[in-house]
């Protein structure tokens, strides 16, 4: 990627020449000589929710056999706020078998992903998703992505109200191009009116980079709102929604060895009423559209626009566009960024069961028929499902009468078995074999590492303490590892950077503790650290707070410090 001042990134030209995201995608889909599409179109299909990938386990072998890589595509379906119906779940389950590799993946942004979709099935997969009133447009690309919302519906009335705000933001910021319907749905109108080909919010070059929005209901911070470009924090008093604190400028991605890239937590901008939300969202997006760095994709996220110009400048920019400054933010408190597992009652008397799903992967294997179980539950369930930002699933709004039926299905499929507190808080990104950017394993390795950590916790008598461990296969941060109490970030196959010191409510970045270490060294470190924690922790002191108090890492004040400390 170029860093030449004033020279636009190549992707900027691809966007502006694409005729509102058409490029040559339609033509490429008909080209049966290769399982891939052109380089330019791979950039454009992202805006349609589609990534070209190849099976990295087979790359070497295929090269030796002089074959092209085994291309397939990942398709991401947007699910604003993570809410879907049982009928949609069954449809997703069917699609995973019919079009993809048989697995469903719940992402860290409350969306569904299919892996292994071959080129000839792309169109029918996207059409099937739309038939079931979901879509894939803007699931990826330089636009606002799937809008997240706190998944836990315990405060039923307020949650519904806040969820509708998330849905409205999602609709408002969805690209207007008719290319999506034209390419994938043959111009058919399925969800929305056929749109005109202009982009009133984005313009024809869209945003300089991806853009992410979350809506959160304190005291839960399950969506990690401060890791987002834009956040709306519900301010609730006496069970009434007063409006939202607005946060801007968070993000996780960085590049190993490049100190100009770093994760950042968002700043609080002010408070807006429910009526102002769409205007705030639109104008923040427009500020990033106009001032984001289009000459360097590594510096193009909104977090750098905010960091470079300062929060007061953003406040003034927003005021100029909205006609007045936002009011001061209210006090809010976040308690935890995990999920609340098991059965819990809602205010309206219905029930939710939050189910741990290892790294969001829904599949049947030798130990657990998870996919089959969830299909059976979906067939019996008359509430809804909520995908959580921690890759778990809530079987939500179960009427009291129906609870025994769902419980019996959970028990039949051994989904109520005990799971350690640390495992329940763990999260890993996809990484190998599908992710083109992976440097190390994540999803396929973390469950085994957690088993080792469980043994260490047992040895030190702290098996009941949940410690948040997150792992990613590279520093892009897809499982938000830089706010975990213990973060592992892939450096090379079998080697990770180890970070310590995140807070359990998502309010603090962690810091590099040791670089480029293998499993033996990871376990040695953990044995020592957890041993010390078991002896010296104060009552109810979290592991993240402990390692900072004892000086293992520093309390990070700015994201540029996350990678500073390295012990040799
Ligand atoms: Fe991500 C790129 C997977 C959430 C930061 N992410 C990718 C790609 C598409 C790789 C690529 O560009 O070729 C990965 C596809 C892997 C695969 O095979 O499926 C990928 N990201 C994921 C998911 C599926 C991880 C998961 O295990 O759930 C998450 C999908 C979310 C969704 O439904 O939209 C996912 N990605 C995130 C998050 C977490 C979040 O948003 O809360 C982050 C960190 C927050 C942020 O954006 O700052 C994240 N992904 C990235 C980045 C780094 C962006 C940056 O600012 O530098 C990349 C690489 C890029 O954009 O160049 C990336
Ligand atoms: Fe791929 Fe890196 Fe994201 Fe993991 S963190 S899914 S390895 S881009």
């Amino acid at each position: 990627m170029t860093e030449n001042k004033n020279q636009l990134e190549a992707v900027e030209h691809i966007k502006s020449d694409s005729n509102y995201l058409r490029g040559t995608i339609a033509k490429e889909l008909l080209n049966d000589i290769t399982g891939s599409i052109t380089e330019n179109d791979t950039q454009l299909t992202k805006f349609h929710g589609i990534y070209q990938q190849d099976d990295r386990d087979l790359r070497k072998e295929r090269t030796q056999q002089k074959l092209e890589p085994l291309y397939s595509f990942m398709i991401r379906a947007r699910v604003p706020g993570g809410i879907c119906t049982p009928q949609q779940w069954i449809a997703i389950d069917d699609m995973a078998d019919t079009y993809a590799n048989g697995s469903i993946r719940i992402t860290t942004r409350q969306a569904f992903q299919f892996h292994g979709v071959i080129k000839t099935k792309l169109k029918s997969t996207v059409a099937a998703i739309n038939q079931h009133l979901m879509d894939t447009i803007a699931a990826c690309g330089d636009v606002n992505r799937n809008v997240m919302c706190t998944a836990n519906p315990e405060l039923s009335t307020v949650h519904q109200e806040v969820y509708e705000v998330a849905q409205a933001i999602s609709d408002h910021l969805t690209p207007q191009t008719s290319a999506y319907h034209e390419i994938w749905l043959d111009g058919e109108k399925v969800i929305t009116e056929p749109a005109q080909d202009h982009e009133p919010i984005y313009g024809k070059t869209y945003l300089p980079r991806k853009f992410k929005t979350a809506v959160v209901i304190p005291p839960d911070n399950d969506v990690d709102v401060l890791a987002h470009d834009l956040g709306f924090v519900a301010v609730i008093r006496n069970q009434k929604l007063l409006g939202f604190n607005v946060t801007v400028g968070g993000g996780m991605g960085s590049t190993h060895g490049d100190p100009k890239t770093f994760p950042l937590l968002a700043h609080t901008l002010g408070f807006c009423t429910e009526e102002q939300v769409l205007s705030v969202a639109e104008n923040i997006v427009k500020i990033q559209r106009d001032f984001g760095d289009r000459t360097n994709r590594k510096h193009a996220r909104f977090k750098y626009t905010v960091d470079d110009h300062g929060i007061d400048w953003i406040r003034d920019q927003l005021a100029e566009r909205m006609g007045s400054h936002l009011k001061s933010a209210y006090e809010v408190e976040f308690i935890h960024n995990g999920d609340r597992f098991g059965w819990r009652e809602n205010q309206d008397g219905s029930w939710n069961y939050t189910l741990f799903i290892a790294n969001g992967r829904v599949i049947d294997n030798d130990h657990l028929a998870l996919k089959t179980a969830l299909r059976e539950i979906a067939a019996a369930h008359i509430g809804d499902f909520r995908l959580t930002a921690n890759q778990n699933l809530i079987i939500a709004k179960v009427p009291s009468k129906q609870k025994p039926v769902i419980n019996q299905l959970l028990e039949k499929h051994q989904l109520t078995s005990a799971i350690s507190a640390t495992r329940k808080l763990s999260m890993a990104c996809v990484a190998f074999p599908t992710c083109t950017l992976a440097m190390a394993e994540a999803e396929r390795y973390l469950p085994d590492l957690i088993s080792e950590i469980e043994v260490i916790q047992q040895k030190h008598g702290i098996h009941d303490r949940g410690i948040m461990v997150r792992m990613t296969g590279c520093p892009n941060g897809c499982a938000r590892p830089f706010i975990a109490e213990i973060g592992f970030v892939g450096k090379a196959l079998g080697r990770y950077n180890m970070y310590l010191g995140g807070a359990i409510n998502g309010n603090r970045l962690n810091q590099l503790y040791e670089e480029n270490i293998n499993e033996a060294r990871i376990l040695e470190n953990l044995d020592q650290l957890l041993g010390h924690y078991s002896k010296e922790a104060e009552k109810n002191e979290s592991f993240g707070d402990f390692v900072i108090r004892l000086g293992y890492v520093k309390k990070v004040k700015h994201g540029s410090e996350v990678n500073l400390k390295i012990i040799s």
Side-chain angles (χ1 to χ4, degrees), residues 35 50-53 71-75 95-96 98-101 113-126 129:
I50 297 166
Y51 278 82
Q52 179 171 297
Q53 303 183 319
Y71 290 115
S72 67
F73 295 80
M74 176 269 273
I75 302 187
M95 287 180 232
T98 312
Y99 304 112
N101 66 0
Q113 271 188 196
F114 297 116
H115 287 105
V117 181
I118 56 170
K119 185 165 137 184
T120 49
K121 289 190 177 176
L122 274 178
K123 205 166 160 173
S124 30
T125 314
V126 176
I129 291 169

Side-chain angles (χ1 to χ4, degrees), residues 21-73:
L21 307 180
R22 284 173 177 77
T24 56
I25 299 172
K27 193 172 129 224
E28 273 301 299
L29 291 177
L30 302 173
N31 172 2
D32 56 11
I33 294 172
T34 165
S36 68
I37 56 176
T38 66
E39 175 55 32
N40 283 9
D41 286 334
T42 61
Q43 296 303 328
L44 296 173
T45 55
K46 292 182 189 177
F47 291 78
H48 300 256
I50 297 166
Y51 278 82
Q52 179 171 297
Q53 303 183 319
D54 70 283
D55 189 330
R56 295 189 60 184
D57 287 346
L58 299 179
R59 232 184 228 180
K60 212 166 151 199
E61 192 184 315
R62 305 265 308 178
T63 314
Q64 278 163 0
Q65 292 171 352
K66 301 203 168 24
L67 293 169
E68 73 171 12
L70 191 56
Y71 290 115
S72 67
F73 295 80

Side-chain angles (χ1 to χ4, degrees), residues 153-157 345-351 397:
E154 275 175 33
L155 292 169
S156 306
T157 329
E345 192 174 6
N346 293 317
Q347 260 183 5
D348 65 4
S350 64
W351 291 81
K397 299 267 175 189

Side-chain angles (χ1 to χ4, degrees), residues 264-282:
L264 281 170
L265 287 188
H267 301 262
T268 301
L269 201 59
F271 170 84
C272 75
T273 61
E274 194 174 335
E275 292 69 37
Q276 288 177 305
V277 165
L278 295 186
S279 172
V280 170
E282 176 175 329

